[in-house]
Amino acid sequence: MSRASIFDLLHQRHQEAAPVVEKTTVRSDYLTDRLHLVDAVALTPAGFMARGVMPEAVPPVLSESLHGPDGYRLLVHPIVDVMPLEDSRLKRLERKAHRLNALVQTLMVEALIMLEALPEEAGFDLILTLPLRSPQAGEIVLAQAREAIMETQYGDRLESARLVPCQGGLHDQMAVPEEGGMAWVLWLSADSLINDEDVARLDAQGVLGRSSKGPGLHPGEAVNALLIQRVLPEDESLDQGWLIEPATTFTHEKRSGQRDYHRREQLLALLNDAWPDKADLPDSSVAVSNAPARLVVDSLTLPGRAVEAGGALMTRWEAFDLIDDGIGVDIHGGWPGEAMMCLQLVLATAALEEGEDALVLEIAGEKQSSAMVLRACGGPSAPGDQL
C-alpha cells in the first residue's frame, strides 16, 4: 500500500468531535487499574490497519538471507512498504535499531493524525517501547520521533518523551513517573524478528517455524501507535473508545505436559475469571454482554493452541466462532515479538463496531496465560458507569 493511499484512508475515518476543555496539567493521581483506549493504528506485514480498516491475512514468504538450523530458508513475514532511512550511527550501535527506527518513522504521519482527537489545548506524553540492548540507540530513535512531532502543530503540546521497557503489563508501561504526567499518551511500539539473533532465540525456545518441519512461529514485525487516556478519579463517564482493566493472568503447569482436556479446562477457568457472568458479579445492576464481539489471540499455530482455544471458547460461549470472530496474530501476519500486546489492541479495535467489546488472549507461553478485556464506553457493558 502506498503512503498516499494510507493517508487518504485515514482521512476517510470518522473522527468524533472532541470536547473543549482547559489544558490538562501534569498530575500523579491517575487510576492505576484503568486506561481509556481512544484510537489505534498499525503497520504489519498484512498492511495498514486502523478502526474500520482490516487487511486480509498474508502467508509467509521465503527469506532471501535467513536460514534455520536445518539449512533451509526460513519462512518470514516482512513489512514491504517501509520508509528508506540511512543512519550509520544506529547501524553501528545496534543494527536492529535501524530497522525499528524506519518502522516508527513510516507510521509517524498516521500516529500524528490520531492527535486530532485531543481536546483543544490538551498536552500529551510520548512513550516509546522498543526491545533494544543499546540505551543510546533507543535514545536516538526517541529523539527522532520527538523531532518529527515538534515539526508539526502538536509540537508545543508535547509535554514529555521517554523510553519505557517492554517488560510488564499495559498499565505498568503507561504509569506516570514520580513527577507525574499528562492525561493523554501517544504510545509507539515496534519490533522486528527478521534477523539472525531473534531467529536464534526463537529456535532456542523450540518455537521457530521451519519450512522443513511442523508448526511453529514465523518471524515477523510490526509497528503500532495508540492514543490512550489515563483516567482520573473525577472522570465520571467516557462515551467513546474502550476501557481496559489489568489483564487476568494464570500460572500453570507446562502446556506440553498436559492433556487437551486439562488445557481446555484451565483456559476456561481463565475466561470465567476475566469475563464473569452477570449473576457472578456482586452488583447485579452492572450489565455484562453475553460474549465478546471479537477475540484476538497471540498464537493459533503453536502445537495444541487452536484446539485449546476453540474448545474453551465453545464451552464458555456456544455461539462464539473462533474462525469468524477470532484473529490469530501469528496467522494474520507472523510473530511480532515484543510488539504483540500493542498489536493485539490495534487488531481488536480495527474489527470492532461502535459499542462492541473484545477479549485479548495470550496463550503462547508454556506456563502462563492471560486475558485482557476491552469494554466499550457508553455501551450496555461499559464499566465507565462504575467510576
Side-chain angles (χ1 to χ4, degrees):
M1 180 179 291
S2 68
R3 297 282 295 162
S5 60
I6 288 176
F7 192 87
D8 293 341
L9 268 176
L10 269 161
H11 276 288
Q12 293 172 15
R13 295 165 58 206
H14 178 63
Q15 292 284 350
E16 298 286 348
V20 178
V21 299
E22 294 182 2
K23 185 172 181 178
T24 307
T25 56
V26 174
R27 293 180 60 164
S28 301
D29 59 338
Y30 300 104
L31 300 178
T32 59
D33 63 348
R34 197 158 300 177
L35 290 169
H36 177 211
L37 176 56
V38 180
D39 204 355
V41 295
L43 186 62
T44 76
F48 172 76
M49 64 183 62
R51 292 181 64 175
V53 181
M54 173 66 77
E56 295 292 329
V58 292
V61 297
L62 285 173
S63 171
E64 295 294 330
S65 58
L66 296 175
H67 296 77
D70 52 12
Y72 288 89
R73 290 160 61 188
L74 284 176
L75 289 167
V76 297
H77 283 269
I79 296 176
V80 177
D81 188 13
V82 178
M83 181 182 296
L85 294 178
E86 284 300 327
D87 193 324
S88 57
R89 295 175 303 164
L90 286 176
K91 288 184 177 179
R92 287 196 304 268
L93 288 167
E94 188 173 347
R95 192 166 188 85
K96 180 173 178 175
H98 183 268
R99 180 63 175 180
L100 298 189
N101 189 39
L103 290 173
V104 169
Q105 291 297 326
T106 300
L107 194 65
M108 186 58 70
V109 171
E110 289 75 27
L112 293 175
I113 290 174
M114 290 195 302
L115 296 178
E116 295 176 0
L118 288 180
E120 186 177 348
E121 300 301 321
F124 67 98
D125 294 328
L126 172 66
I127 288 181
L128 186 63
T129 54
L130 303 172
L132 295 174
R133 299 189 314 273
S134 168
Q136 186 178 355
E139 290 294 341
I140 291 173
V141 180
L142 179 65
Q144 293 191 11
R146 183 180 185 279
E147 181 179 348
I149 295 173
M150 295 304 294
E151 293 176 351
T152 71
Q153 69 269 34
Y154 301 106
D156 61 350
R157 296 163 69 178
L158 176 60
E159 180 69 23
S160 70
R162 61 190 178 100
L163 291 166
V164 172
C166 296
Q167 293 76 27
L170 169 65
H171 297 71
D172 297 327
Q173 293 180 348
M174 295 299 106
V176 296
E178 290 184 4
E179 62 271 20
M182 306 302 289
W184 298 87
V185 180
L186 178 62
W187 178 26
L188 301 176
S189 169
D191 197 5
S192 174
L193 306 187
I194 307 178
N195 57 75
D196 289 319
E197 185 173 336
D198 283 314
V199 165
R201 180 174 53 82
L202 290 176
D203 184 56
Q205 294 173 356
V207 297
L208 179 65
R210 308 178 192 175
S211 55
S212 63
K213 63 176 264 188
L217 302 178
H218 297 136
E221 51 188 359
V223 56
N224 316 280
L226 275 67
L227 182 61
I228 289 178
Q229 181 184 7
R230 296 169 174 138
V231 180
L232 289 165
E234 61 264 29
D235 290 334
E236 295 182 357
S237 64
L238 299 166
D239 57 5
Q240 300 172 28
W242 295 266
L243 282 173
I244 309 176
E245 296 183 354
T248 302
T249 301
F250 280 8
T251 301
H252 45 73
E253 296 180 3
K254 292 181 66 173
R255 281 185 159 88
S256 57
Q258 298 184 53
R259 295 181 179 274
D260 288 344
Y261 170 78
H262 292 105
R263 294 169 62 170
R264 186 196 71 187
E265 289 301 302
Q266 69 188 18
L267 182 56
L268 181 59
L270 174 64
L271 295 177
N272 289 334
D273 200 33
W275 196 293
D277 284 325
K278 180 177 178 180
D280 298 330
L281 294 173
D283 183 358
S284 59
S285 65
V286 176
V288 176
S289 57
N290 292 328
R294 292 290 184 272
L295 167 80
V296 182
V297 58
D298 55 354
S299 176
L300 291 176
T301 62
L302 286 174
R305 278 11 179 236
V307 173
E308 176 184 338
L313 289 163
M314 288 182 63
T315 302
R316 183 67 174 83
W317 301 292
E318 284 187 24
F320 193 91
D321 190 311
L322 182 57
I323 296 177
D324 293 338
D325 304 321
I327 301 171
V329 178
D330 56 349
I331 293 176
H332 194 265
W335 187 256
E338 295 293 345
M340 172 62 77
M341 177 175 61
C342 201
L343 179 57
Q344 284 183 286
L345 296 175
V346 182
L347 281 163
T349 59
L352 289 174
E353 300 290 340
E354 193 70 29
E356 291 183 335
D357 305 328
L359 181 66
V360 169
L361 275 182
E362 293 187 0
I363 59 173
E366 272 288 291
K367 302 180 69 174
Q368 184 171 289
S369 306
S370 69
M372 187 160 55
V373 178
L374 281 71
R375 294 286 189 197
C377 297
S381 59
D385 299 333
Q386 308 167 48
L387 286 174

